[in-house]
Structure formats: structure tokens, C-alpha cells
Amino acid sequence: MEKNRVLITAISKIVINCIMAVLCFIKIIQEVAVLPGFDENGEEITAREDYFFSVYEKLSGVGLSFLLWAALAIIVASVILSVLCIVIKDNKKLSIASRIVFGPSICMFLIAFLTARLIWYNY
């Protein structure tokens, strides 16, 4: 029963880390620009324009891409340790190391995501 729990936990960590890594490059951050304009009759109107950005685009646009690469490095380390936990069974130190690295991988992803979310462009 203990081995099944370790296996399910390791697989869950791998899946969560892979989802976080993919979310860094998918355009999930939306910004809305309301811009003034004129219609065909010359009357003043406002136009709404939606822009979508990825975490990578936002952070690299302002020179903070090192934050994203640090988060991805910790995510990769967490995936490697989780895979090693599946391959090398009954190793307590490896299991503890996997749990210790999984926490910072989530924290670094959240820091990178929230930092990217707080970057606003002027339209």
C-alpha cells in the first residue's frame, strides 16, 4: 500500500510540474485596451481590443526572463527527482528531496506568473 501511495504521489508531482511548465508558454494573460477612435460618419467612438500574452512574453519584454528560467530549472529538477523516486524504490532520502524541491517549484512558478500578471502595458 505504501508503494502505491509513493507512486501516485510521484506521478502527480510530474503531471503538476509539466502543466506548470506548459503554462509558461501558453497565452493565458489577457489585457483589454479601450482606445478612442472614429467611425465611418466621423463620430467619436471607443474601441475595445483584447491582447493575450504568455508569461514568457511578459517577463522577457521587461528584462525579467531570468525569473522564468529559474522557475523552469526548479521545475525540471523536481520532475527529475520524481522520476528517480519511481525508478529507485525505497530510498527515503530521494523521496524527501523530491518533496523539498516540489514546494519551491510551485512557489517559483507562482512568483513568475504573478510578476508577469502585474506587468501592465500602456495603450
Side-chain angles (χ1 to χ4, degrees), residues 6 15-17 30-31 33 43 51 76 78-80 83-84 90 94 98-101 109 114-115:
V6 171
V15 169
I16 290 169
N17 280 318
Q30 178 185 12
E31 287 188 11
E43 296 177 10
Y51 296 97
V76 168
S78 179
V79 168
I80 290 171
V83 168
L84 287 175
D90 297 331
L94 189 61
S98 174
R99 281 186 241 143
I100 289 173
V101 174
F109 171 75
L114 292 176
T115 303

Side-chain angles (χ1 to χ4, degrees), residues 58-101:
K58 289 283 233 171
L59 291 178
S60 64
V62 294
L64 292 175
S65 60
F66 68 90
L67 188 63
L68 177 68
W69 297 121
L72 287 175
I74 295 175
I75 288 171
V76 168
S78 179
V79 168
I80 290 171
L81 286 174
S82 296
V83 168
L84 287 175
C85 279
I86 294 173
V87 174
I88 303 171
K89 296 177 178 23
D90 297 331
N91 191 339
K92 289 281 189 187
K93 291 181 182 179
L94 189 61
S95 177
I96 291 170
S98 174
R99 281 186 241 143
I100 289 173
V101 174

Side-chain angles (χ1 to χ4, degrees), residues 21-84:
V22 169
L23 283 177
C24 291
F25 298 101
I26 295 176
K27 295 184 177 195
I28 57 174
I29 300 173
Q30 178 185 12
E31 287 188 11
V32 178
V34 180
L35 304 170
F38 295 97
D39 64 1
E40 56 274 351
N41 297 330
E43 296 177 10
E44 192 171 332
I45 60 169
T46 56
R48 174 191 162 122
E49 188 70 33
D50 293 320
Y51 296 97
F52 294 93
F53 300 98
S54 67
V55 174
Y56 171 73
E57 291 172 338
K58 289 283 233 171
L59 291 178
S60 64
V62 294
L64 292 175
S65 60
F66 68 90
L67 188 63
L68 177 68
W69 297 121
L72 287 175
I74 295 175
I75 288 171
V76 168
S78 179
V79 168
I80 290 171
L81 286 174
S82 296
V83 168
L84 287 175

